[in-house]
Structures are given as C-alpha cells and as structure tokens.
Amino acid sequence: MQKEYLLVTGAAGFIGSAVAAHFLKLGFAVITIDNLSTGKREVIPEDVIFIEGDAGNAFTVKELEQFDISGIIHIAGQSSGEVSFEDPEYDLRSNTNSTLLLLDYAKRKRIKQFVFASTMSVYGNQHFLPVTENTIPNPVSFYAVGKLASENYMRIFSKFGISSIALRLFNVYGPGQNMDNLKQGMLSIYMAQAIHSNEITVKGSLDRFRDFIYINDVVNAFEKAFSKTKEDGIFEIYNVCSGAKTHVRELLELIVKHSQSSIKVNVIEGTPGDQFGIFGSPWRVNVDLNWRATVELKDGLEQMMKWAIKQ
Amino acid sequence: MQKEYLLVTGAAGFIGSAVAAHFLKLGFAVITIDNLSTGKREVIPEDVIFIEGDAGNAFTVKELEQFDISGIIHIAGQSSGEVSFEDPEYDLRSNTNSTLLLLDYAKRKRIKQFVFASTMSVYGNQHFLPVTENTIPNPVSFYAVGKLASENYMRIFSKFGISSIALRLFNVYGPGQNMDNLKQGMLSIYMAQAIHSNEITVKGSLDRFRDFIYINDVVNAFEKAFSKTKEDGIFEIYNVCSGAKTHVRELLELIVKHSQSSIKVNVIEGTPGDQFGIFGSPWRVNVDLNWRATVELKDGLEQMMKWAIKQ
C-alpha cells in the first residue's frame, strides 16, 4: 500500500523532530521544511524528506508542488519570545506569513487537515487563572502576536474546507530539547546551566510560575489533533498543558536535586515580553480529544536530566 | 513659531485625506505616505508633504528619517475585507508590516504619540451586541486579522514609551468617499450605483445591519485620540461608532428617498468574510475622550448625496 504524505514543518527542531518521528512510526511518509536557523540537520529523523528553506518564503513552499500531501502539521517558526524583540519583521514572516502560505497551498491542493503549533504566549498576563481557550488573548511579545494572527488565518481557511486545530503549547520540555540555545525553553536553559557551570542565572523573579508539559505528551496531542481534523470544516483551539502551576523556585529545586553537584542561583532582570505567571486549564482538550498529560514534572525532569548529562 | 511635523499615512484616501486636512487646519505640518493603490493623488490636501510608496515597505519608511516628526496617525492600508481574500500576503504587508515598521521608527526616533485606524471587522460575527472593546475578537477576513495584529503590536510598543490608541472604526461614510471603488464602503457602493444606474446590487441579505458613522465625527475622534496620546505610555482601544443599528433595508430606503429617480434593488450572494450584523457601544470612548457621534445617518446621508450628485 502506498504511504500517505504528511508535511511536518520544523523537523530539525525539538518538537518538530519528535512529532515527525512519531508520524513516521504511524506509517506516514513525512516531508519537512526547515531553515536550520536554530534547528540542526542531524536532528531530522532518518527517512524524512527534507526541504531546506524558510516556510515563510513563497519559493520554499512552491517546492511542495511535486508532492501529493494529505495533511500539514505546521511547527516551524522562530520560537523565542525574547528573540522576537530583536527582529519583529523576521518573526512575522516566519510565524505568520508561513501559516498563510501553507494554508493557501492547502486550499489550492485541497488538503483538508491542518494542525498548528500555537503557544500559551497568546494569553500574555492574565488576572484570572488558569487560562482557558475562552480567555481574551493579550499578547505581550511579537512572537505571540504572530502566532495569534496565524490562528485567526486558520479560522478563515476552515471556511474553505480546511479542518484546522491550533494547539496552544505551554512550556514543553524533555529529551531532545536544544541545550545550546539559552534564549529558548525555561527548563532547558536552567538545566543546561546547571550541568555546564554549576550556576544558574535566572532572568526574572523566582515567584514567576509556569505550566510544564513533557514532550511525549505533546506528541500524543498532535496525533489526537491530527485525527480530529478528519472531521469536516472544523476550527478548534486547545490548551496543551498539564494544568499544574509550578513556581520557578520549585523548578530550580527539582533541578538542583537531580544535579550531581551544588548549584548557585543568580537572579537578574527579566526579559521583555516575559509573562509573569501562567498555567492553563486542560479541560477542553480532555473532553474533546480525550487527551491529558501523563508525565509528572518530577519524573519528566529526571528523564531529561539523565539524557542531558549524557550529551 | 516652527510647526510640529505630523505623519498621517494614507492621505490619498477618504479618511486619511480628511484627517490630514483637519490637522493642517490645527496648525501642524503634515507629511503623508501613500502608495496610490486605491487612493488618488488629487485627494491629498494641498500643503501636505507627499512620500509616494508603501508604508509596509522598509525603504519607504526610511524616507521619514529626514523629518523630525512628533506624532503618527497611521491610516494607510488595504481597506477592503473582500479584497483581502484576493491577496492575503499583500494585505498582511500593507496593514500589519506597515504598523510594525512605523512603530519601530517611532521607537528609534522617540516619537511618543501613535494613533491607528483599526476596524470593527476585528469583532467578526458576535452573539452579544452591541460589541464593546471587551468583546473577544473573532476576525473573519484577512483584513481583520492584520488590523488586530497591528493593535497587538501597539500594545507591546506602548511599553517602550509610545502612547498608542487604536480606533476601531465602524462603517465610515460621507463626502469625499471613493465613489468608483465598488469593493469598499457599503454605503458609498449603494449610493454610487443608485446615482449611476438607478439600480443597486446588494451582495448579501437585506436583514444584515451596520453602524454608520459620519466622516466629520471620525475626524473629530482622531483629534481627541491624538490629544489623549500626550499621556505617558498608554495603550487604548476605542469603538468609533454611533451606537445605532441600521439594517441594510433601512439604508436602502434612505438612499432611494434621496435619489431623483426610482431605484431597482437586486440581492445576490454575499462576499467572503462579510459580517452579518454588527453595531457597537460608543460608551468607552464617550467616557474617556468625551467624544460622541453628532451627525445622524439621515442627515449625513443627505449631505453626502448632494455632494455625490455633483461629482
């Protein structure tokens, strides 16, 4: 039997790579687009067809014309709120124009399934927590503005018969995360510092809090969301979170506990557009997709630490 | 005394032209950027310094470096929801990248006042009417997605000391409106048809409804908003609307009444992304800016009809 082609953008990155590997295992032929700006070529799973280029560039997307793709999972994009302040125009192109180009491609090729890696950043700072999909977005970084605009494009294209789901990912962590990039991933940043220098510099208060979600749970959410897009003309938004509120202080304690030596913690000024505290309600995705987080932070962090020390 | 320089983008268009003329009268030296894509050169008020180009293009915005501008009123942009479906990428560049470039310019030049022409389109279709600034946006056109993203950029830049106000304009009408563009402006489209062919083709149901606001009232809202941005680091959103709900049917009756001959009305299928019915609450802007609509539709329409027949 011929395999179905699936496009998973960003397979040279942490989440894209894990999602691509998973769909390969499920029997799909996986194609990826990645510009290797932060991703690494060696992270792309074997057997994935690799188109090198920016998904926000029409020329790159044109290269897809040769394939008969049945679905798109769009994960590629500049992924740091902090970095989005350095070049907002690039951020808009990589996170928003890419979605527009891929949706337009899907429309022309009658591709009916589209899943998008959105972000909890769209909520910004909120008074009422946990945030639900019904909370009014209040983006405080360029990154978040662009992701939110992408969701809105999906809503429009769902009227053209493209079933779309935006997964608002909270703080994803786990083995495979880029341990060299100190501007992306709160948990991996702290862990990398603990391993390499026995000293963690925290940008912003220890009283801040987050909702951490393990990579395997996230991959599972993409699988369930992709199945759901078989339904006609839907547009859905789901929080992909654990629902647990973890203070930066508690996170540091866990990292220190699993470290092999003593760790010094320095607290310095926060980064622009950083959210003070957020955690989400996973209720909607649980009801609709029967998905829930299965890995607790203490266990996931232990797994990741073992993996990270071996790197 | 030397005049203050003010940038009013889009002065070759209906609203931009009226706003530019008003601020000239208030004593400002007015500069404009316009790409003349739908605007007309002869509409730009005399004495306005004209930079021809797209405000969504970095090269055009660079031409502003020579001026010492004290405030920006950003009105330029592709302004038709219907047209945004023909070229979504252009729409994103003209309505969103332009805002980003101008805000970035303002930040570099320490310009502290920024007023933006947003749109009631960001609300899309809503169950609870009238819409307030607290209603969750639900954009159903590319045009609306881009305008909403621009508002969000303004929120971020207000943290950098740029006081920003987004005016969500409802259905603006009045003398000066482009009577040749049949894809922009519900009232002007119907009126132009009535005058030129004694026959009005309505795209969509007569039961649809809108909130019409006269151009002079809108100009006044820009003046009040601009004054308000003298306050430090604010970010505000205001509905600029009358608060009155007018059905398409009633609007047509008014136009027919003021026409000099009998008019035939044809109803055909609606356009993509068209909102069924919307009207707004002008309460917030009334409380904060002491602004309210002063011209009733029947009077404004009569004024406009007299003007239009003379064209």
Side-chain angles (χ1 to χ4, degrees):
Chain A
M1 205 184 98
Q2 221 193 324
K3 287 183 173 185
E4 270 185 73
Y5 280 106
L6 177 71
L7 174 66
V8 179
T9 67
F14 168 43
I15 300 170
S17 165
V19 170
H22 186 69
F23 277 89
L24 279 174
K25 238 187 284 171
L26 292 176
F28 288 87
V30 176
I31 303 165
T32 196
I33 293 177
D34 202 299
N35 66 0
L36 302 179
S37 67
T38 52
K40 296 170 182 171
R41 188 185 289 264
E42 63 269 25
V43 164
I44 302 173
E46 218 180 322
D47 297 332
V48 167
I49 301 162
F50 175 37
I51 298 171
E52 186 173 343
D54 195 322
N57 184 324
F59 291 104
T60 309
V61 174
K62 217 162 194 177
E63 290 192 48
L64 294 173
E65 296 289 342
Q66 56 187 308
F67 300 102
D68 192 14
I69 291 169
S70 63
I72 296 174
I73 298 181
H74 182 29
I75 298 175
Q78 195 297 102
S79 62
S80 158
E82 186 179 349
V83 169
S84 76
F85 282 84
E86 297 166 10
D87 190 350
E89 262 199 282
Y90 170 65
D91 200 81
L92 181 64
R93 193 165 63 246
S94 104
N95 279 315
T96 312
N97 208 45
S98 62
T99 312
L100 194 50
L101 289 170
L102 290 171
L103 285 166
D104 189 59
Y105 166 76
K107 184 182 166 207
R108 282 187 287 108
K109 303 279 267 187
R110 298 175 189 280
I111 297 166
K112 291 190 179 312
Q113 296 182 262
F114 195 98
V115 177
F116 178 62
S118 187
T119 171
M120 61 91 182
S121 298
V122 301
Y123 295 115
N125 295 309
Q126 297 283 344
H127 184 68
F128 292 103
L129 297 175
V131 292
T132 72
E133 295 81 354
N134 210 30
T135 300
I136 303 184
N138 178 37
V140 291
S141 72
F142 296 106
Y143 169 66
V145 174
K147 287 284 190 183
L148 184 60
S150 282
E151 289 184 359
N152 286 326
Y153 284 142
M154 291 164 67
R155 177 193 290 115
I156 294 172
F157 277 94
S158 68
K159 301 283 193 294
F160 302 143
I162 301 169
S163 287
S164 307
I165 293 180
L167 298 178
R168 291 183 175 164
L169 308 180
F170 282 59
N171 278 57
V172 185
Y173 74 99
Q177 196 158 10
N178 187 336
M179 304 296 284
D180 303 324
N181 185 343
L182 296 185
K183 287 184 174 177
Q184 167 57 31
M186 179 189 277
L187 191 151
S188 61
I189 293 171
Y190 298 161
M191 191 180 280
Q193 292 182 83
I195 292 172
H196 297 136
S197 65
N198 294 328
E199 193 167 329
I200 301 175
T201 299
V202 176
K203 296 179 187 169
S205 162
L206 299 182
D207 295 327
R208 288 175 303 146
F209 51 90
R210 290 290 185 276
D211 184 330
F212 293 95
I213 180 83
Y214 195 63
I215 183 68
N216 296 15
D217 283 330
V218 172
V219 167
N220 191 238
F222 273 98
E223 182 187 341
K224 294 206 163 180
F226 190 71
S227 294
K228 173 86 172 171
T229 55
K230 286 190 182 125
E231 295 174 21
D232 275 346
I234 60 167
F235 169 67
E236 300 289 352
I237 296 174
Y238 297 117
N239 284 346
V240 173
C241 60
S242 70
K245 173 180 175 177
T246 304
H247 287 90
V248 169
R249 190 184 309 281
E250 301 166 73
L251 174 66
L252 291 168
E253 281 164 11
L254 278 172
I255 291 175
V256 168
K257 185 182 145 194
H258 290 290
S259 293
Q260 286 144 335
S261 46
S262 69
I263 309 286
K264 194 185 158 207
V265 173
N266 308 309
V267 177
I268 63 170
E269 207 191 344
T271 59
D274 194 35
Q275 292 160 278
F276 184 81
I278 189 160
F279 70 110
S281 161
W283 200 261
R284 186 162 199 271
V285 62
N286 187 253
V287 169
D288 272 21
L289 301 187
N290 192 29
W291 175 92
R292 55 175 296 175
T294 63
V295 180
E296 279 190 56
L297 179 59
K298 65 176 175 45
D299 301 324
L301 192 140
E302 194 176 344
Q303 290 302 315
M304 183 174 171
M305 196 63 140
K306 282 183 192 158
W307 166 84
I309 290 171
K310 273 191 280 178
Q311 295 300 300
Chain B
M1 204 183 97
Q2 219 193 323
K3 288 184 174 187
E4 269 186 72
Y5 280 105
L6 177 70
L7 173 67
V8 178
T9 68
F14 168 44
I15 300 169
S17 165
V19 170
H22 186 70
F23 278 89
L24 280 175
K25 237 186 286 171
L26 292 176
F28 287 88
V30 177
I31 304 166
T32 196
I33 293 178
D34 202 300
N35 66 1
L36 302 179
S37 67
T38 53
K40 295 170 182 171
R41 189 184 290 263
E42 63 269 24
V43 165
I44 301 172
E46 218 179 322
D47 297 332
V48 168
I49 301 163
F50 175 37
I51 298 172
E52 185 172 344
D54 194 323
N57 184 324
F59 291 103
T60 310
V61 174
K62 219 164 190 171
E63 289 191 49
L64 294 173
E65 296 289 342
Q66 57 187 306
F67 299 102
D68 192 13
I69 291 170
S70 63
I72 296 175
I73 298 181
H74 182 29
I75 298 175
Q78 195 296 105
S79 62
S80 158
E82 187 179 348
V83 170
S84 76
F85 283 85
E86 296 165 11
D87 190 350
E89 262 199 283
Y90 171 65
D91 199 83
L92 181 65
R93 193 165 64 247
S94 102
N95 278 315
T96 312
N97 208 46
S98 61
T99 312
L100 195 50
L101 290 169
L102 291 170
L103 285 165
D104 188 59
Y105 166 76
K107 185 183 165 205
R108 280 187 288 110
K109 302 279 268 188
R110 297 177 191 279
I111 297 167
K112 291 191 180 310
Q113 296 182 260
F114 195 96
V115 177
F116 177 61
S118 188
T119 171
M120 60 91 184
S121 298
V122 302
Y123 295 115
N125 294 310
Q126 297 283 345
H127 184 69
F128 292 103
L129 296 175
V131 291
T132 73
E133 295 81 354
N134 210 29
T135 300
I136 303 184
N138 178 38
V140 291
S141 71
F142 295 105
Y143 169 66
V145 174
K147 286 285 191 182
L148 183 61
S150 282
E151 290 185 0
N152 285 325
Y153 284 141
M154 291 163 68
R155 177 193 289 114
I156 295 173
F157 277 93
S158 69
K159 301 283 193 296
F160 302 142
I162 301 169
S163 287
S164 308
I165 293 180
L167 299 177
R168 290 185 175 163
L169 308 180
F170 282 61
N171 279 58
V172 185
Y173 73 99
Q177 197 158 9
N178 187 335
M179 304 296 283
D180 303 324
N181 184 343
L182 296 184
K183 289 184 175 178
Q184 167 57 32
M186 180 188 276
L187 191 151
S188 61
I189 293 171
Y190 298 161
M191 190 180 280
Q193 293 181 80
I195 292 172
H196 297 135
S197 66
N198 294 329
E199 192 166 331
I200 301 176
T201 299
V202 177
K203 296 180 188 169
S205 162
L206 299 182
D207 295 327
R208 289 175 303 146
F209 51 92
R210 290 289 184 278
D211 184 330
F212 293 95
I213 180 84
Y214 195 63
I215 182 69
N216 296 15
D217 283 330
V218 172
V219 166
N220 191 239
F222 274 97
E223 182 186 342
K224 295 207 162 179
F226 190 70
S227 293
K228 172 86 173 172
T229 55
K230 287 191 182 125
E231 295 174 21
D232 274 345
I234 60 166
F235 168 67
E236 299 290 351
I237 295 175
Y238 297 117
N239 284 347
V240 173
C241 59
S242 70
K245 173 179 175 178
T246 304
H247 287 92
V248 170
R249 191 184 310 280
E250 300 166 72
L251 173 66
L252 291 167
E253 281 164 12
L254 278 171
I255 292 174
V256 168
K257 186 181 145 195
H258 290 289
S259 294
Q260 285 144 335
S261 46
S262 70
I263 308 287
K264 195 183 157 210
V265 173
N266 307 309
V267 177
I268 63 171
E269 208 192 344
T271 59
D274 194 35
Q275 291 161 278
F276 185 80
I278 189 160
F279 71 111
S281 159
W283 199 261
R284 186 162 199 273
V285 63
N286 186 254
V287 170
D288 272 22
L289 300 188
N290 193 28
W291 176 91
R292 55 175 297 173
T294 62
V295 181
E296 278 190 57
L297 179 59
K298 63 176 175 46
D299 301 324
L301 192 140
E302 192 175 347
Q303 291 302 315
M304 182 174 173
M305 195 64 139
K306 282 183 194 157
W307 165 84
I309 289 170
K310 274 190 278 179
Q311 295 301 299

